[in-house]
Amino acid sequence: TFSQLVHEDDYGSVKNNVWKAVKKLRSISCLFAHRGILLDTSRHYLPLKSILTNLDAMAFNKFNVLHWHIVDDQSFPYQSVSFPELSNKGAYSYNHVYTPTDVRLVIEYARLRGIRVIPEFDTPGHTQSWGKGQKDLLTPCYSGEQPSGSFGPVNPILNSTYDFMATLFKEISSVFPDAYIHLGGDEVSFNCWESNPEVKDFMKKQGFGIDYAKLESYYVQKILDIVSSYNKGYVVWQEVFDNNAELKPDTVVEVWMANNYAHELSRVTRAGYTAILAAPWYLDYISYGQDWTKYYRVEPLNFPGSEKQKRLLIGGEACLWGEYVDATNLTPRLWPRASAVGERLWSSKNVTNLQDAYRRLSNHRCRMLR
Amino acid sequence: MGHAENKQSWRTSCTELLISVATPGCNGFPNLESKENYKLNISRDSMLLYADAVWGALRGLETFSQLVGRDENGMYYINETEIVDFPRFPHRGLLLDTSRHYLPLKAILETLDVMAYNKLNVFHWHIVDDPSFPYESFTFPELSKQGAFSAMTHVYTASDVQTVIEYARLRGIRVIAEFDTPGHTLSWGPGAPGLLTPCYLGKDPSGTYGPINPIFNSTYQFVTSLFQEISSVFPDYFIHLGGDEVDFTCWKSNPDILVFMKKMGFGEDYTKLESYYIQRLLDIVSSLGKGYMVWQEVFDNGVKVRPDTIIHVWKNNLPYAEEMANVTKAGYRALLSAPWYLNRISYGQDWMAAYQVEPLKFTGSTKQKDLVIGGEACMWGEYVDVTNLTPRLWPRAGAVAERLWSNATVRNLQDAYVRLADFRCELLRRGVQAEPLFTGYCDHEFGGF
C-alpha cells in the first residue's frame, strides 16, 4: 500500500501522500483470508520466469495463495523424486519440467511475498499423463470383451494404486510446506470404469450396485485418509462434497460450477465445511469488452445462510485455466482483470462503485506497467 | 568404398538459392496490380526461385524459409519440391488502430515483419480517431500538439511515418493511411478550432462537439490542405477516407446547420448532408490524384463515388454477403472485413470461424465476384495496446491470411490446425509472442528455453 501511495510529480520528484493518507485511514485489514490465483501448468507449460512474474503481480494485488494446478491430462511437468518416470514419460518434453530446484524456487519466491503455494494433484480424473510413466495406474477401458487401448481415471480397485499414491503424496507433503494440498476430484467420467469387467466385479463385491459415484467416493476417501496421515489438510473441488464422500471437518471445498453457485455455497457451509469460491471468476473465459466489471460485481457472501455459515466462506480464487494460455498471453490475460477479484476479496463489502473502481484500476494498471 | 562415385548422395549440400526476377527493380512501391506469383524449384542439383517481379520473390523467399527444417543434429535440410504459387486475392490487409491506444513504432514494425511471414500485403493504418491524434502534421502541427494523448511521447513524427512506409515497402507491404471523417474526429477539434460542429442544448452551445462541420468553406480549405499533405506523405495510390458511423444528433441540434439544411433543400434527411460533405471530400482527394477506399456507409447512403472506389464492407447487421452482392452489383470493387474483426475476442478456437469464411459466397455473377479484391483482418484498439497486440493478432490473423492467399479449395480445418500450430511454434522460434491455438507445446517456449 505504501508503495502505491508514493508518486512522482511532473518534475520527477518523489512525493508521498502517506501522512495525509494516514490521517484518513483506519487500520487496514482484509475481508477474506484466502485470496488465490490458479495457474495451470499442464495444458501449457509455463516457464519459471512467467510464474515468478505472476507472483510479483499477485503481490502487487495482495493475493496470498498460488493454487498451482501443476499436472493434468495433457502433461505431467512435475519432476518427482519417487517416480521420475512420471515426468520422463508424461511431460511434453525433457525441457518442459519443473525440477525440485524449480519448485523450491517458486515456493521461496512466493513465501518472500507472503504467498502460500497450494499444489493440486488432481485425481482420479484428469490423469491421462500419469499413465504414461506409471503402468497400471489408470483404468484400462474396454470395448466389449477386449481392452480398447485407451485409459480412464485412476484405477480404484488395485492396492498398487494406493501404494503409489501413498508414496507420491508423502513426497508432495514434504516438498510443499503449506498445510493444505489440493486433491482435485473433479469431472470424473464413469464410462471407462463402467466398461471394465474387473471394476464391475469390484462394484458387485462392494455392494455399490451401479452407482459409480460410490466407487469414486471410495477412492477419494482412501486418498483423503492417506493425505491426512501426513498431517496435511486438503482442498477438494465441489464434486467430492456433492458425491457425499466423508470429509474431515477442516476440508476446504472449492466451488467452481457456475450454475447456481450461491446455492452450493449454502449447502457446503451448512454442512459445516469451509468454502472458497471460484465459480464466477474463471478468467480464462475471455469475452469482448470490459469484463472486469462482471468479476468486480460478484458479492461472495450473497448466499442464503447464517452468520456462522458466512464465516465459513474464507475467500476465493481467480482461475486461469491453460487450454488457450501460455507465457505468450498469460500476463495480459490475467492482469488487470484479476485485480478486480483481488479487490473484491480484500476490500470491505461496501467498496463497490464501478466508476471509482475504473479510475483506480486504470491507474493501477499503469502502475503495474511501470 | 574406393571407387569413384559419380552419383550424388541423397543428401547433397545445398548452399545457395538462385533468385531470378523477370522485371528488375527494387526501388518502387508495391500496388494493387503488383505481381506476387513465384515458382520454387528445389532439387538435388539446384535451388531456384523465379518470380515476375521482386514482390513475388519476397513471397517465394518466405515460403522457402518455411520449407527449411532442422534435424536433431542441428543440420538444416529441405525436401525436394516444386511449387507454383500466386495469391487468390491481391489485397490482403491488416488494420491497426493507433488512436484508441498509441502503438510504439517498434510494435508496428514487428507487426509488419509478421505480416510478411503471413504474406499479408496491405497495412491499413487507422492512424487517428476520436480518442487521440498521434499523426504529426507539418501543415497543422497543432492537431497532434493538442490532440495526441501526449504530444511529446505519443506521436508519430514525419520520420516515424517514413520509417513505417519504407519498412513496409521492403516487405512488399503497401501502407494505406486512413484519416476517417466526418465522424470519428473528436481529437481533431482541439488543434483545429472551428472544424467540428458545436452541439447545442436548446439555444446555447453545450460545450461538446460532433462530426466535422460540413457547412463552412473553412472546413473544405482545411480538408484540402490536410489531404494535400497526406497525399504527398503516403505514396500509395489509395487513401482510406473512412466515412463510417456518422452520428447526426449534434448536427440536428445546431441552428446554423438547420439553416443550411433548409437552404440546400435537404429537408430532414441528414444523410444528404453527410453525402454533401463526403462528395466534396472525394472530389478534393481525386483532384490530388489519389484513389480512395471508404467504409460501406458511404455506398449505402448513395454518395456518388468514382468507379474505381473500393468499398470496405464491415457491418454485420445485414448478412455481409448481401452487402458484398450489392456493392459488386453496382460495379464497385469490394473489400471484406465484416467477419474478420479480430478485436472481438471470445473463448476458444475462434480462428476456425475466420478460416471458414468464403469471401465469394454471395449471390452474384462471375463479373461481380471478380470485383472482390480481397479483405482485411481488423484489430481495433479499444482494448488493445502493445501489451497484448501480438498475442491477440497471431496466429489468429494467419487464418485470414491463408483464406486470402490460398485457393478456395484449401479449407480442411484439421489440416489447417496442424499447419497453423506448427507455424505458431515457428513464430515463437522467430521471437514473435504468438499465443497458442490449443493445448500443447513448442520446442521453443516464449520466455523459456
Side-chain angles (χ1 to χ4, degrees):
Chain A
T1 297
F2 179 79
S3 76
Q4 294 184 18
L5 292 171
V6 174
H7 66 270
E8 262 181 51
D9 67 16
D10 292 336
Y11 304 98
S13 335
V14 164
K15 292 181 153 167
N16 66 72
N17 279 328
V18 178
W19 297 119
K20 273 195 229 160
V22 160
K23 288 194 193 127
K24 284 195 279 182
L25 293 168
R26 292 180 288 277
S27 82
I28 300 186
S29 66
C30 55
L31 192 56
F32 292 103
H34 182 119
R35 304 179 305 283
I37 296 282
L38 179 151
L39 287 187
D40 169 0
T41 57
S42 172
R43 276 59 180 266
H44 283 98
Y45 179 79
L46 293 177
L48 215 51
K49 183 155 163 266
S50 134
I51 300 179
L52 301 183
T53 302
N54 196 62
L55 286 168
D56 280 335
M58 283 171 66
F60 300 157
N61 288 269
K62 297 190 178 65
F63 277 96
N64 65 357
V65 175
L66 172 65
H67 173 167
W68 192 350
H69 187 90
I70 187 168
V71 297
D72 202 300
D73 282 329
Q74 284 81 357
S75 75
F76 196 105
Y78 173 76
Q79 204 173 62
S80 160
V81 166
S82 324
F83 301 104
E85 285 296 283
L86 285 173
S87 62
N88 280 347
K89 295 282 179 345
Y92 281 136
S93 85
Y94 286 119
N95 284 326
H96 292 75
V97 294
Y98 300 108
T99 64
T101 309
D102 292 335
V103 173
R104 270 199 296 276
L105 177 53
V106 170
I107 293 172
E108 178 63 2
Y109 199 89
R111 185 187 78 82
L112 290 172
R113 286 151 183 74
I115 297 171
R116 301 163 54 198
V117 178
I118 300 183
E120 178 183 350
F121 285 82
D122 190 352
T123 71
H126 287 278
T127 44
Q128 290 294 298
S129 66
W130 300 47
K132 306 221 165 89
Q134 184 69 17
K135 204 163 93 70
D136 299 330
L137 178 67
L138 303 183
T139 313
C141 312
Y142 274 66
S143 210
E145 314 265 309
Q146 302 299 326
S148 70
S150 63
F151 295 88
V154 169
N155 196 334
I157 74 175
L158 302 174
N159 285 333
S160 53
T161 293
Y162 302 104
D163 292 336
F164 166 83
M165 291 296 173
T167 310
L168 181 65
F169 277 101
K170 183 161 186 212
E171 172 183 322
I172 293 165
S173 301
S174 84
V175 167
F176 292 91
D178 199 83
Y180 284 83
I181 301 180
H182 200 305
L183 302 178
D186 61 314
E187 297 181 315
V188 184
S189 165
F190 295 153
N191 296 341
C192 189
W193 284 348
E194 284 164 353
S195 75
N196 183 302
E198 280 157 23
V199 173
K200 285 193 284 217
D201 280 344
F202 185 84
M203 287 287 285
K204 213 174 286 176
K205 229 173 22 191
Q206 295 282 324
F208 290 158
I210 51 164
D211 187 358
Y212 283 81
K214 292 204 165 88
L215 181 60
E216 184 189 358
S217 296
Y218 167 86
Y219 165 85
V220 169
Q221 203 59 68
K222 294 186 79 151
I223 300 302
L224 298 184
D225 292 342
I226 287 169
V227 173
S228 278
S229 74
Y230 299 128
N231 286 320
K232 292 289 190 184
Y234 35 76
V235 189
V236 289
W237 296 109
Q238 67 181 75
E239 286 97 317
V240 174
F241 165 81
D242 294 343
N243 293 344
N244 299 313
E246 233 180 73
L247 306 173
K248 266 191 16 224
D250 66 346
T251 308
V252 179
V253 177
E254 184 156 13
V255 174
W256 71 272
M257 293 171 148
N259 200 13
N260 220 344
Y261 65 82
H263 178 66
E264 181 73 1
L265 286 176
S266 288
R267 289 188 53 225
V268 168
T269 53
R270 191 170 41 238
Y273 296 108
T274 318
I276 54 178
L277 180 61
W281 290 323
Y282 268 34
L283 267 49
D284 57 310
Y285 284 162
I286 57 172
S287 58
Y288 181 70
Q290 293 197 52
D291 58 354
W292 70 271
T293 59
K294 172 175 74 174
Y295 305 133
Y296 192 76
R297 274 187 263 124
V298 171
E299 180 32 72
L301 294 170
N302 269 359
F303 64 90
S306 63
E307 267 313 297
K308 188 155 170 246
Q309 276 177 262
K310 307 263 168 136
R311 272 197 294 274
L312 288 172
L313 178 60
I314 58 166
E317 296 188 341
C319 300
L320 196 67
W321 294 103
E323 284 84 349
Y324 304 99
V325 176
D326 75 358
T328 58
N329 61 0
L330 186 145
T331 303
R333 191 160 292 193
L334 199 49
W335 310 102
R337 291 192 310 142
S339 306
V341 181
E343 177 155 295
R344 180 53 50 235
L345 291 172
W346 175 281
S347 294
S348 158
K349 199 172 170 184
N350 56 18
V351 178
T352 53
N353 182 287
L354 272 176
Q355 279 81 350
D356 180 67
Y358 175 81
R359 193 186 48 83
R360 287 182 296 105
L361 191 54
S362 309
N363 279 345
H364 186 54
R365 183 254 171 175
C366 287
R367 181 185 298 123
M368 287 198 279
L369 282 190
R370 193 167 49 74
Chain B
M1 276 279 277
H3 56 278
E5 289 279 271
N6 227 359
K7 60 178 172 9
Q8 306 203 304
S9 81
W10 68 275
R11 236 199 212 187
T12 30
S13 150
C14 28
T15 53
E16 48 175 29
L17 172 70
L18 286 169
I19 305 179
S20 163
V21 178
T23 314
C26 286
N27 294 325
F29 284 92
N31 59 48
L32 188 57
E33 288 77 39
S34 292
K35 305 193 89 174
E36 297 177 282
N37 56 307
Y38 66 91
K39 283 202 247 243
L40 204 49
N41 259 301
I42 313 291
S43 72
R44 266 174 222 167
D45 307 313
S46 60
M47 301 196 296
L48 296 166
L49 168 59
Y50 169 84
D52 282 344
V54 69
W55 318 113
L58 289 175
R59 305 298 169 237
L61 276 172
E62 177 56 38
T63 298
F64 177 76
S65 76
Q66 293 184 23
L67 291 171
V68 176
R70 203 164 187 201
D71 69 17
E72 58 283 2
N73 301 314
M75 176 97 81
Y76 293 100
Y77 68 87
I78 188 169
N79 288 338
E80 288 193 290
T81 188
E82 226 181 87
I83 294 177
V84 175
D85 197 11
F86 55 91
R88 181 179 174 203
F89 293 105
H91 184 124
R92 307 178 304 282
L94 182 66
L95 179 152
L96 285 188
D97 170 358
T98 57
S99 173
R100 275 59 179 264
H101 284 97
Y102 179 78
L103 290 176
L105 200 58
K106 191 153 160 261
I108 298 179
L109 301 183
E110 189 203 60
T111 302
L112 290 169
D113 277 335
V114 191
M115 281 174 66
Y117 303 158
N118 285 269
K119 296 192 177 66
L120 290 168
N121 66 356
V122 176
F123 170 38
H124 175 166
W125 194 350
H126 187 90
I127 188 168
V128 297
D129 201 299
D130 283 328
S132 76
F133 195 105
Y135 172 75
E136 248 182 23
S137 158
F138 55 82
T139 319
F140 300 106
E142 287 298 299
L143 284 173
S144 61
K145 255 210 211 126
Q146 307 288 339
F149 281 137
S150 159
M152 292 308 297
T153 51
H154 290 61
V155 290
Y156 301 107
T157 62
S159 159
D160 292 337
V161 173
Q162 288 312 307
T163 301
V164 169
I165 293 171
E166 178 64 2
Y167 200 89
R169 185 187 78 84
L170 291 172
R171 286 152 183 75
I173 297 171
R174 301 162 56 199
V175 178
I176 299 184
E178 178 183 350
F179 284 81
D180 190 353
T181 69
H184 286 280
T185 45
L186 284 179
S187 67
W188 301 42
L195 179 68
L196 303 184
T197 311
C199 312
Y200 274 67
L201 209 51
K203 292 221 188 86
D204 304 297
S206 69
T208 61
Y209 294 86
I212 287 185
N213 199 331
I215 72 178
F216 296 134
N217 284 332
S218 53
T219 291
Y220 301 100
Q221 280 158 8
F222 170 87
V223 163
T224 304
S225 302
L226 181 65
F227 277 92
Q228 214 152 32
E229 172 180 325
I230 293 165
S231 300
S232 73
V233 167
F234 293 92
D236 200 85
Y237 173 67
F238 285 93
I239 302 182
H240 201 301
L241 301 178
D244 61 315
E245 297 182 313
V246 184
D247 181 2
F248 296 151
T249 322
C250 188
W251 283 350
K252 287 184 181 160
S253 74
N254 183 300
D256 294 329
I257 293 200
L258 292 168
V259 167
F260 187 81
M261 288 288 283
K262 210 172 287 177
K263 203 172 64 177
M264 302 294 291
F266 291 159
E268 301 276 310
D269 188 356
Y270 283 82
T271 63
K272 293 206 164 88
L273 182 60
E274 183 189 1
S275 298
Y276 169 81
Y277 167 84
I278 297 272
Q279 201 60 72
R280 289 188 69 167
L281 170 66
L282 298 186
D283 291 343
I284 288 167
V285 173
S286 265
S287 71
L288 294 167
K290 292 290 194 183
Y292 37 75
M293 293 174 46
V294 289
W295 295 112
Q296 67 180 75
E297 284 96 319
V298 172
F299 167 80
D300 294 343
N301 292 345
V303 178
K304 236 177 57 211
V305 296
R306 279 216 326 244
D308 72 343
T309 308
I310 295 174
I311 310 290
H312 201 158
V313 177
W314 69 274
K315 293 172 103 161
N316 274 299
N317 48 356
L318 277 182
Y320 62 82
E322 228 179 277
E323 181 74 2
M324 296 292 279
N326 292 341
V327 167
T328 52
K329 185 129 174 260
Y332 298 108
R333 285 178 294 182
L335 201 57
L336 182 60
S337 280
W340 289 326
Y341 267 35
L342 297 184
N343 55 307
R344 296 209 154 251
I345 57 171
S346 58
Y347 182 72
Q349 294 197 54
D350 60 355
W351 70 271
M352 292 185 170
Y355 189 76
Q356 291 179 300
V357 169
E358 177 34 67
L360 298 186
K361 191 158 167 221
F362 61 89
T363 320
S365 64
T366 319
K367 191 151 166 253
Q368 274 176 262
K369 311 252 167 145
D370 285 342
L371 289 172
V372 178
I373 59 168
E376 295 189 350
C378 298
M379 187 52 78
W380 294 103
E382 285 84 348
Y383 305 100
V384 175
D385 74 1
V386 70
T387 58
N388 59 1
L389 176 73
T390 302
R392 195 162 289 195
L393 264 181
W394 315 105
R396 293 194 304 142
V400 182
E402 177 154 299
R403 180 53 50 233
L404 291 172
W405 176 281
S406 295
N407 195 287
T409 55
V410 178
R411 35 190 352 109
N412 181 286
L413 270 177
Q414 279 80 349
D415 177 70
Y417 175 84
V418 171
R419 288 182 294 106
L420 193 55
D422 270 346
F423 182 63
R424 184 256 170 175
C425 287
E426 175 61 15
L427 288 179
L428 283 190
R429 201 189 55 77
R430 295 184 184 187
V432 178
Q433 199 170 332
E435 66 175 14
L437 287 179
F438 192 48
T439 60
Y441 71 102
C442 294
D443 290 330
H444 296 84
E445 297 289 5
F446 183 76
F449 31 84

